[in-house]
Amino acid sequence: MRKKIVAGNWKMNTTVAEGVALAKAVVELAGQTPDNVGLIVAPPFTHLCCVADVLKGSKVELSAQNCADHESGAYTGEVAVNMLASAGCQWTILGHSERRQYYGETDEKLVEKVRLALAGGLKVILCVGENLDQREAGKHFDVVSEQTKNVLFNFTAEDMKSIVIAYEPVWAIGTGKTATAQQAEEIHACIRKVIAEKFGEAVAEDLTILYGGSCKPSNAKELFAEKDIDGGLIGGAALKADSFIEIAKSF
Ligand code: PEP
């Protein structure tokens, strides 16, 4: 059985004190979630060490929201994988649409980042997803397949054990518009097929694929009931511990 995961992407929200309080609240409620559902929080870089302390001994794992595309050196403002690992991260999100859209993150750069993350012992949540124009032009399957191939076909079946994919249609992120369960399921099934073609059925069957885009307690149950949807990457609804935990109880 592949792993179910609910991950909270806090984006550029909360002060350190607010982030610590949110992490504490998540830890307090984490016991209400099923044992087979993994929980991850992804606070801003500045919060990682403090939040790592709060998460110690709980089932909640820690993720960064990004990492540098170099190992170390003269890259002002960047944060390297070994820094994230030493701050207590087990994961990093990579390729979020906001990084692709506002910070010029390309698939080529992502190959390097995934390589460095895995080499440094971090697991990766790789985000893919089409924008509204691409969906309206009927190109969503192609766009998502290409993003998946461009990055992940540079890796091995063994590497895939440390990678989770998050399908996040850009038109659904932070907009209140959720993909229907059927729209999400058909893309998840497509991603799994792409992975199966390259790495084989067993790797594809084991791959956790999350849905992200205005996922909340009121729609999580329907989305998570789909056979290829293994959980969620949650933005807005992860900023309140009770809604984040409610989502994780929706399986
Ligand atoms: C996200 O940014 O990863 C996300 C899914 O955001 P939201 O849940 O707010 O749409």
Side-chain angles (χ1 to χ4, degrees), residues 29 47 54 60 78 94 107 114 116 123 172 184 195 200 209 215 218 233 240 248:
L29 298 174
H47 304 26
V54 174
V60 188
E78 291 294 308
L94 289 175
D107 288 339
V114 173
L116 287 165
K123 290 176 277 185
I195 295 297
I209 308 178
C215 184
S218 57
L233 179 55
K240 293 250 167 7

Side-chain angles (χ1 to χ4, degrees), residues 159-202:
D159 293 332
M160 290 302 298
K161 292 182 184 159
S162 302
I163 295 172
V164 162
I165 296 179
Y167 166 58
E168 299 206 302
V170 179
W171 48 271
I173 295 180
T175 58
K177 272 190 215 160
T178 318
T180 64
Q182 194 205 334
Q183 282 173 324
E185 168 59 22
E186 61 191 15
I187 297 279
H188 282 232
C190 163
I191 293 170
R192 208 176 294 289
K193 191 159 158 270
V194 166
I195 295 297
E197 279 161 13
K198 168 79 175 169
F199 299 105
E201 288 293 338

Side-chain angles (χ1 to χ4, degrees), residues 25-55:
V26 169
V27 166
E28 263 164 38
L29 298 174
Q32 298 179 7
T33 62
D35 288 344
N36 66 341
V37 177
L39 295 178
I40 300 171
V41 292
F45 288 138
T46 44
H47 304 26
L48 291 172
C49 286
C50 297
V51 171
D53 276 346
V54 174
L55 303 186

Side-chain angles (χ1 to χ4, degrees), residues 9 11 96 98 168 172-175 212-215 233-237:
N9 173 14
K11 310 195 189 191
H96 191 281
E98 287 151 17
E168 299 206 302
I173 295 180
T175 58
S214 300
C215 184
L233 179 55
I234 317 298

Side-chain angles (χ1 to χ4, degrees), residues 125-140:
I125 300 174
L126 177 72
C127 303
V128 296
E130 81 286 358
N131 63 30
L132 187 59
D133 287 349
Q134 291 163 333
R135 173 151 291 255
E136 284 175 345
K139 292 185 179 148
H140 39 295

Side-chain angles (χ1 to χ4, degrees), residues 4 28 34 39 79 91 95 104 151 156 160 168 172 185 205 224 230 244:
K4 312 270 186 215
E28 263 164 38
L39 295 178
V79 180
W91 293 86
V151 181
T156 65
M160 290 302 298
E168 299 206 302
E185 168 59 22
E205 269 310 302
F224 296 174
D230 308 310
F244 180 62

